[in-house]
């Protein structure tokens, strides 16, 4: 089972970026937690990456379209990028959208997600633990699909 974990713009600054909103954990901390959980679940290959560039996010999604799952925190592209939603829709990846903050209790412009319309589901507001929840959910979902 292969799962790509993608992080969008400015998530490379986690830990120092508005910690009261996004938490004190760095992206490296989150990656370590995800890899630890993946090892515990077993039978999982994880690629974990971050980019500030919309086109690179799209290239990574399309380049991994034969993988099984995608966990994506698209950052601000969540709210702006039809191109990102189109790329996801072009694949058969099972997609969980993750946000550290609860986008539904923030500014109005953050409450619309283009990605949500092409995702299996969205986890928002649970901080870094949202990535682990996404991994657990995808792993169970994909294992079930495998057995069917
Ligand atoms: C975010 C929420 C977005 O609105 C914001 O632009 C981010 C981070 C989150 O994880 O809470 O960059 O995706």
């Amino acid at each position: 089972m292969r799962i790509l974990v993608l992080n969008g713009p400015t998530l490379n600054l986690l830990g120092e970026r508005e910690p009261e909103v996004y938490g004190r954990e760095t992206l490296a901390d989150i990656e370590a937690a995800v890899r630890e959980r993946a090892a515990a679940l077993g039978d999982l290959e994880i690629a974990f990456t971050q980019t500030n560039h919309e086109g690179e996010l799209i290239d990574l999604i399309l380049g991994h379209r034969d993988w099984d799952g995608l966990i994506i925190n698209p950052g601000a592209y969540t709210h702006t990028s039809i191109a990102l939603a189109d790329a996801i829709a072009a694949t058969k990846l099972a997609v969980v959208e993750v946000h550290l903050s609860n986008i539904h209790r923030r500014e109005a412009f953050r409450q619309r997600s283009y990605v949500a319309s092409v995702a299996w589901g969205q986890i928002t507001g649970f901080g870094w633990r949202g990535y682990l929840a996404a991994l657990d959910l995808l792993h169970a979902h994909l294992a079930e699909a495998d057995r069917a």
Side-chain angles (χ1 to χ4, degrees), residues 52-131:
N52 292 325
H53 304 279
E54 183 177 15
E56 203 175 326
L57 285 171
I58 291 167
D59 286 344
L60 282 162
I61 290 166
L62 299 182
H64 290 79
R65 66 186 182 284
D66 63 336
W67 281 34
D68 305 296
L70 170 67
I71 295 170
I72 183 165
N73 183 345
Y77 292 135
T78 306
H79 321 296
T80 62
S81 183
I82 296 169
L84 192 56
D86 278 355
I88 290 171
T91 75
K92 292 190 166 54
L93 292 166
V95 180
V96 179
E97 176 186 347
V98 172
H99 301 283
L100 296 150
S101 63
N102 183 348
I103 59 172
H104 301 294
R105 53 183 292 185
R106 299 187 61 194
E107 302 96 322
F109 67 84
R110 292 187 203 277
Q111 292 173 21
R112 178 183 64 183
S113 167
Y114 286 111
V115 171
S117 62
V118 291
W120 176 40
Q122 184 190 69
I123 297 172
T124 185
F126 298 100
W128 63 275
R129 291 187 180 86
Y131 287 78

Side-chain angles (χ1 to χ4, degrees), residues 9-27:
T10 320
L11 293 168
N12 51 321
L13 286 195
L14 283 181
E16 73 172 77
R17 173 193 182 196
E18 299 179 84
E20 65 291 352
V21 179
Y22 298 117
R24 301 206 170 275
E25 295 72 24
T26 65
L27 197 59

